[in-house]
Amino acid sequence: MASMGAGILKRSVSIAGHRTSISLEEPFWQALREIAARRSLSVQALIGLIDAERGAQNLSSAIRVFVLDDLRERLSRQDGH
């Protein structure tokens, strides 16, 4: 299990032609890599999709919610719901 004290890592990505920095805990970066791989996307492309759908929400928060929603959806499918 990941440590609750996981440090925040800041990474720079290019979204819609501009560079931006995103600060997330390492478990969220790892989850993004896994989700992107399942969808045959780069992490940058996946972040671009999240960015396009987030509205006024902070991008780091939108990514965390996206990861949580993905996990909930997969758990629901495993439980047969």
Side-chain angles (χ1 to χ4, degrees), residues 59-76:
L59 182 54
S60 293
S61 295
I63 291 169
R64 289 184 186 96
V65 170
F66 176 86
V67 168
L68 179 60
D69 286 347
D70 178 80
L71 177 63
R72 285 178 167 163
E73 182 181 315
R74 286 187 294 128
L75 288 173
S76 178

Side-chain angles (χ1 to χ4, degrees), residues 43-67:
V43 170
Q44 187 164 289
L46 181 59
I47 291 171
L49 292 174
I50 296 167
D51 181 58
E53 297 292 321
R54 71 184 168 103
Q57 187 178 26
N58 170 282
L59 182 54
S60 293
S61 295
I63 291 169
R64 289 184 186 96
V65 170
F66 176 86
V67 168

